[in-house]
Amino acid sequence: MKTSTEKSRAAAYAHSFLCGHLVANHPLFATDPLFRDWQSQAVSEKSYKVSCLYYYESFVDSILPRESPSGQKQTTLGHYVKEVNAACTIELSSGSYTFRFERIHLFLFPLNIILFAIEIDESGADLNNLTEAHGRLRDVNRYAEMKAQGYLEALQPLLDLCGAEKQDYTCLTDTGNKLKIFQTIECEQVTDELLYEVGTLSKIGCVSDLSDRNAPSEEYQNHVLTTYKVSIFHDWSALALFDTMTLLARRLSESDRWTWSMSYFRMIYVHLLYQKTLLFYFNRRFRMADTDTEELLYDIREQEHYYGFSNISYNFLPQTLYEAIDRGMGMEIERKALHGHIEQVGQIRRQVSERKLNRIILLLTFLTLTSTLYDGTSLLTEMLGIDAGTCAYVRVALLLILCAALAVVAVWVLNRFKKV
């Protein structure tokens, strides 16, 4: 029989998504033979209209692939699912940990960006084991040495899509070095300490146990909770951090569970994860030596036009979660860096254009001046009765050239003094 402490640490319901950016060595399309075992999740017109009751239509268009009236699927966006439904086991410090690997989600976006989510269920798990398991499951760089049954084998379809060799799991993180986690948990207690521990995948109880080397300082814990905590109703709290999004709730109805998985994760979290990936992708492209800046700037403007939102919903809760996750992922820092790069490129391009224009103006001025000097010399010598080709003609021409040169020097000196 479980003690009260064990009950408070048990998750009556635990559902998580492990998310990553798949390495794509070549563009993937729904017609690819590798997709024959994947099921399209393009939504019907009816489902699309229902989504538009809660979210802005332009936002829905940017995240949900739709079935066209003819039954053909759109190619700009894609959502595919591969059912797994397998019991998996990994070894933890306390022993074996079992969970259910339900399915893999694949999200196709423009610019050949492919995101995925591994959906797992851990209902009934001890929270201390859950945080340790999530810490191991998100570290793909150590998959090869992880003791597991069923889990790594179930990831093979993802490796096949990116053309990776067997057991080469580095292709699961094209950006970053670990998977991000969206976790929804129902438990008996919802406290700030527990929210911090689960959200940071720390050992349960480390906040109050100062002998634990991972115990956070009071200042840091307060900073995390003050900045990234979302608390609206008394029976749940959420924590939106850089690598995790955590919901702790005392009670979750079937409707609540569906909403957090199919609406808040599927639409809000995946959308922001794509934006985060985009920012990293553009910053990386900017630093490549052979980058076509014209093409890069075009791609940036196009993606910001279709995917850059400040408001997404008619309701306050989706909007609040959208802003919290955006803040937790540190999007503003990336945006400022990217826009700084754009401004730098624009400034360089303007300087180059100005130099080219100045050269053209200088050439035209020289040609005009030469023509004017010739015409002026001819007119003046004709008025004075001097024949062309004589010494007097040459003296007049040289005098006019000297006057023109003095005028140019005077203008140049005057401009220099104005700048000073």
Side-chain angles (χ1 to χ4, degrees), residues 194-213:
L194 187 61
L195 181 63
Y196 174 89
E197 290 162 350
V198 175
T200 58
L201 306 184
S202 302
K203 181 180 178 181
I204 304 303
C206 73
V207 169
S208 56
D209 183 7
L210 298 182
S211 64
D212 192 311
R213 61 186 298 271

Side-chain angles (χ1 to χ4, degrees), residues 5-39:
T5 302
E6 290 173 330
K7 286 181 179 179
S8 66
R9 284 174 39 176
Y13 171 81
H15 209 77
S16 304
F17 296 88
L18 310 175
C19 309
H21 176 199
L22 197 68
V23 174
N25 296 320
H26 57 85
L28 289 177
F29 302 99
T31 55
D32 196 302
L34 293 171
F35 277 97
R36 63 179 177 271
D37 295 328
W38 294 75
Q39 299 173 354

Side-chain angles (χ1 to χ4, degrees), residues 251-372:
R251 293 177 300 275
L252 286 172
S253 65
E254 287 297 324
S255 176
D256 293 333
R257 295 174 183 181
W258 185 93
T259 299
W260 279 91
S261 293
M262 300 306 296
S263 182
Y264 299 155
F265 168 74
R266 170 64 188 92
M267 299 189 69
I268 296 177
Y269 193 80
V270 172
H271 190 280
L272 286 168
L273 185 57
Y274 173 61
Q275 286 193 55
K276 181 67 176 178
T277 305
L278 263 183
L279 291 170
F280 189 94
Y281 168 81
F282 283 139
N283 276 303
R284 183 169 62 182
R285 271 181 61 184
F286 180 83
R287 289 173 172 81
M288 295 173 62
D290 58 346
T291 296
D292 184 339
T293 55
E294 288 285 347
E295 181 182 353
L296 175 60
L297 290 172
Y298 174 82
D299 288 342
I300 290 173
R301 293 191 186 101
E302 183 179 43
Q303 293 303 306
E304 285 189 339
H305 175 74
Y306 289 108
Y307 290 93
F309 292 90
S310 56
N311 295 284
I312 63 160
S313 177
Y314 303 106
N315 297 344
F316 83 97
L317 184 52
Q319 182 64 38
T320 301
L321 292 174
Y322 185 84
E323 293 171 0
I325 297 170
D326 183 290
R327 182 169 59 252
M329 287 187 177
M331 304 275 271
E332 189 61 28
I333 297 175
E334 289 282 347
R335 288 193 189 100
K336 287 182 178 179
L338 179 60
H339 287 182
H341 296 333
I342 295 174
E343 180 60 31
Q344 181 181 359
V345 171
Q347 184 177 358
I348 293 173
R349 290 174 59 194
R350 287 192 296 271
Q351 290 175 350
V352 171
S353 298
E354 288 176 0
R355 291 193 189 104
K356 289 181 179 179
L357 182 61
N358 289 337
R359 293 191 187 101
I360 294 173
I361 293 174
L362 181 61
L363 177 61
L364 293 175
T365 302
F366 177 76
L367 293 175
T368 303
L369 184 61
T370 302
S371 176
T372 301

Side-chain angles (χ1 to χ4, degrees), residues 131-235:
T131 57
E132 183 182 350
H134 285 188
R136 299 195 180 197
L137 291 173
R138 71 173 180 171
D139 190 358
V140 298
N141 294 313
R142 303 186 68 177
Y143 272 10
E145 60 191 65
M146 183 171 65
K147 296 179 180 179
Q149 292 182 355
Y151 177 72
L152 298 178
E153 293 83 351
L155 296 179
Q156 191 57 45
L158 287 176
L159 303 185
D160 293 339
L161 286 174
C162 58
E165 297 180 1
K166 190 175 182 180
Q167 296 186 340
D168 180 13
Y169 301 104
T170 57
C171 70
L172 301 180
T173 50
D174 194 15
T175 53
N177 61 356
K178 63 176 70 73
L179 303 182
K180 294 185 181 293
I181 301 178
F182 185 101
Q183 48 192 1
T184 306
I185 298 169
E186 179 184 336
C187 57
E188 191 175 283
Q189 292 185 359
V190 177
T191 64
D192 284 351
E193 291 78 8
L194 187 61
L195 181 63
Y196 174 89
E197 290 162 350
V198 175
T200 58
L201 306 184
S202 302
K203 181 180 178 181
I204 304 303
C206 73
V207 169
S208 56
D209 183 7
L210 298 182
S211 64
D212 192 311
R213 61 186 298 271
N214 294 317
S217 67
E218 185 177 351
E219 291 79 7
Y220 180 72
Q221 181 190 348
N222 290 337
H223 165 71
V224 169
L225 293 173
T226 301
T227 309
Y228 303 113
K229 177 185 173 183
V230 180
S231 182
I232 297 173
F233 302 107
H234 72 92
D235 60 345

Side-chain angles (χ1 to χ4, degrees), residues 412-420:
W412 180 77
V413 171
L414 183 62
N415 288 335
R416 288 293 298 269
F417 275 115
K418 284 182 178 180
K419 290 181 180 180
V420 174

